[in-house]
Amino acid sequence: MFKRNFTNMTLIKSISGIRGTIGGNQSENLTPIDIVKFTTAYSRLIKDKNPGKRITVVVGRDARISGSMVDSLVEGTLLGCGVDVINVGLCTTPGTEMAVITHKADGGIIITASHNPRQWNALKLLNECGEFLDDAEGKQVLAMADELDYIYPNIDNIGKVILREDFNAKHIAQVLALPLVDAEAIRKRKFKVVVDAVNSVGGIVIPALLRELGCEVVELNTEPTGEFAHNPEPLPENLSEISEVIRKEGADLGIVVDPDVDRLAFVMENGEMFVEEYTLVAVADYVLRHTKGNTVSNLSSSRALSDITARYEGCSYSAAAVGEVNVVKKMKETNAVIGGEGNGGVIYPELHYGRDALVGVALFLTYFAGLNVTMSELRRSYPAYFASKNKIELTPEIDVDKILSEIKHRYSGERVNDIDGIKIDFEENWVHLRKSNTEPIIRIYTEAKSMAEADALAKRFISEIEQIYKA
Ligand code: MG
């Protein structure tokens, strides 16, 4: 069951942008005032980085109901700050990122709350490479958003909209032009694919991409109305409809994306989940076959990627802290050829450093077209791991850092990684403990070779943590 407790707080300011619910009091929700403040702060950051230069920023949005309202505020504020705007309208997160790169803009703003429900929206802030702002820049924006003394440019220096044009077709063309995407091989297979795009921009781009690849497409929830047909997070409990349709239609596979199309999950021909952790695993398996190199995912992602990487000589796997910006940083450091996150986020640097479901679909289908197996046969060729995701709710006076350092101390004889919470890699399984920045909780992720074992490991750590703070 989907549940969020933000202890009376529905505006979350973080280095990757601001996210909140529409309506209500300012600075407690994502109100027009908050949108103007953050867009102003972002404009100042980009202008400070480029002294004396005329600035251009790309704006794109997913299909959520508040999108057009937020878009107007963001665009108007940018113009008022003296920034020129390229507005790509309804666009995916990866598409907006590619538009920044392609138009050689100085930054970008994506208006999307990703997998959050319909009442949410957010501003995701990009740099001139179409990548998320780093920690220092994010902090600067947060600090400047609270300053009220900014002097806006006068009438001769306001910005203008220099282009109002859709970018989705260009993004699809860029994906199809990748050397490892073999559109001809996919077309020959005439795959039948069911798509669930939860009535957001995925409903525009994914069927269009699949038709370019000669697939017969069965569409579910592909009207970009923003009325999400189910909880938009691509998890098994939200995806019963597509499972039924795949079986009824005798489709080869199903494709599910989140509202801004940076997460990708596959459903097998038998209606069961391929499991989103395995999206990156399968795509990496294909990429490594053709391009020897390193891989990266975050600490909470499946060990299966590390296992698959080890199958290829000279290739090695590295783990990054959770968060796309951290994964990208580690990918650059290790010169990775493929990486991403276990939540269905595929990052293929050959195109750009951002999670991109379109790239994931095109690379995966090229791979699948060459295999002559069913989805479930392919899935069985990968190591089977099961993840259990739990949390402990604590009271605010409990010192979470102290608990984590005690755990680290107790397990110092094991392989421990402390770059982001505490991850302990045991021989047969692992546990990752992280504190939340917004709530007094510890998240406990475990992975093992059976669900029972993953649950038991989580239970063991939950009681160990309880024992520590009650002591
Ligand atoms: Mg997303």
Side-chain angles (χ1 to χ4, degrees), residues 114-115 124 258 260-263 355:
S114 193
H115 59 273
K124 289 187 181 180
D258 74 333
D260 66 322
V261 199
D262 56 359
R263 286 174 63 178
R355 295 185 301 177

Side-chain angles (χ1 to χ4, degrees), residues 104-180:
K104 299 188 168 59
D106 303 292
I109 297 180
I110 311 162
I111 300 161
T112 172
S114 193
H115 59 273
N116 290 105
R118 67 198 282 280
Q119 69 273 28
W120 289 80
N121 214 331
L123 307 184
K124 289 187 181 180
L125 309 175
L126 303 175
N127 65 17
E128 73 283 4
C129 302
E131 297 164 17
F132 290 110
L133 297 187
D134 65 22
D135 194 67
E137 291 172 336
K139 281 182 181 143
Q140 259 176 283
V141 172
L142 286 177
M144 286 192 291
D146 287 326
E147 294 171 7
L148 300 170
D149 57 352
Y150 176 61
I151 298 165
Y152 288 88
N154 66 18
I155 186 64
D156 296 315
N157 292 294
I158 61 172
K160 56 181 185 301
V161 176
I162 53 178
L163 187 64
R164 202 181 286 288
E165 191 178 81
D166 171 88
F167 194 79
N168 295 316
K170 275 196 187 124
H171 182 207
I172 291 173
Q174 288 166 335
V175 169
L176 292 177
L178 287 166
L180 281 196

Side-chain angles (χ1 to χ4, degrees), residues 177-253:
L178 287 166
L180 281 196
V181 172
D182 188 344
E184 217 30 65
I186 301 169
R187 284 182 195 120
K188 281 193 189 127
R189 294 294 304 269
K190 298 187 168 62
F191 290 126
K192 186 172 189 179
V193 185
V194 185
V195 175
D196 183 345
V198 69
N199 289 331
S200 188
V201 281
I204 302 172
V205 294
I206 299 292
L209 171 65
L210 291 171
R211 290 195 174 103
E212 291 264 2
L213 293 169
C215 299
E216 182 187 342
V217 185
V218 180
E219 299 187 28
L220 293 179
N221 310 318
T222 52
E223 286 295 322
T225 59
E227 288 293 358
F228 301 150
H230 52 77
N231 181 307
E233 192 161 22
L235 298 176
E237 57 268 35
N238 304 327
L239 300 174
S240 50
E241 187 187 8
I242 190 169
S243 296
E244 265 169 53
V245 174
I246 287 170
R247 282 192 298 260
K248 204 178 79 199
E249 295 278 343
D252 296 290
L253 73 154

